[in-house]
Amino acid sequence: MARMTTWTITPEAPGSPVAAALWRAYYTEVSDRWYLLHEGHRTDPAELEREIAAATGAELAPPHGQLLVGRYDGTPAGSAGVRLLDAQTAELTRVFVAEGMRGRGGAALLVAAAEDAARALGARRLVLDTRGDLVEARALYARLGYTETGPHNADRYAEHWFRKELVPVN
């Protein structure tokens, strides 16, 4: 009899060991990709440690945010966060699936759970930013109904901005 392996997605405290490990994996990957593309080397370890420590994720905690962790067959394998920017707009951030767990549908499930969390916070739309080299992310957001739009922030690394109107779920 074949065993069914599934994703479960649950809220997680941004400071938990699981959230910290996923944040480290996410930040290391996106930082290394940027440095390799633009400067031909990986992130300086001291800079990596400073940036990881500086971004605690506190803005992803209730009552104005939510961090979600996806577990594949019980193993922490991905994350997604939302935080309110104003009463009707939330930002989608920290969408990540660990390299060995990609291609199993987790990213779409994490984004859908983040959309539900944003609705629960009162948001009517989600916005996000990403970089040009993160082509997988841009393809995911387009596939999930996000529309590329003008900038909503001045983040140094943001090159593409997306938006999605959240349809209320009855």
Side-chain angles (χ1 to χ4, degrees):
M1 178 184 219
R3 189 178 117 117
M4 179 78 110
T5 304
T6 60
W7 285 95
T8 56
I9 299 172
T10 56
E12 186 81 26
S16 76
V18 166
L22 288 167
W23 169 235
R24 174 175 288 283
Y26 168 85
Y27 190 83
T28 300
E29 181 174 335
V30 297
S31 183
D32 280 352
R33 279 179 73 161
W34 190 90
Y35 274 106
L36 286 167
L37 179 66
H38 295 283
E39 297 186 13
H41 62 83
R42 294 191 181 282
T43 310
D44 173 84
E47 177 187 350
L48 188 67
E49 292 307 317
R50 277 192 313 273
E51 294 299 320
I52 288 171
T56 65
E59 73 280 6
L60 303 178
H64 302 292
Q66 184 71 70
L67 179 66
L68 302 162
V69 166
R71 289 174 172 81
Y72 187 77
D73 198 24
T75 301
S79 65
V82 294
R83 66 184 181 127
L84 286 175
L85 298 179
D86 62 44
Q88 299 197 14
T89 307
E91 181 179 38
L92 178 62
T93 186
R94 294 195 189 193
V95 176
F96 173 72
V97 174
E99 188 173 359
M101 299 294 181
R102 294 178 186 156
R104 301 175 189 198
L109 292 171
L110 281 160
V111 172
E115 290 172 1
D116 289 343
R119 280 186 200 93
L121 293 170
R124 300 179 129 211
R125 76 190 58 81
L126 265 176
V127 296
L128 65 96
D129 66 74
T130 191
R131 298 190 325 234
D133 64 307
L134 300 176
V135 294
E136 309 92 338
R138 291 184 6 244
L140 171 73
Y141 299 131
R143 188 174 76 245
L144 297 177
Y146 288 78
T147 304
E148 195 154 356
T149 186
H152 66 268
N153 63 24
D155 185 291
R156 171 183 174 195
Y157 299 105
E159 297 172 315
H160 296 270
W161 295 264
F162 289 83
R163 165 187 189 125
K164 182 176 184 180
E165 297 300 318
L166 299 174
V167 177
V169 177
N170 295 328

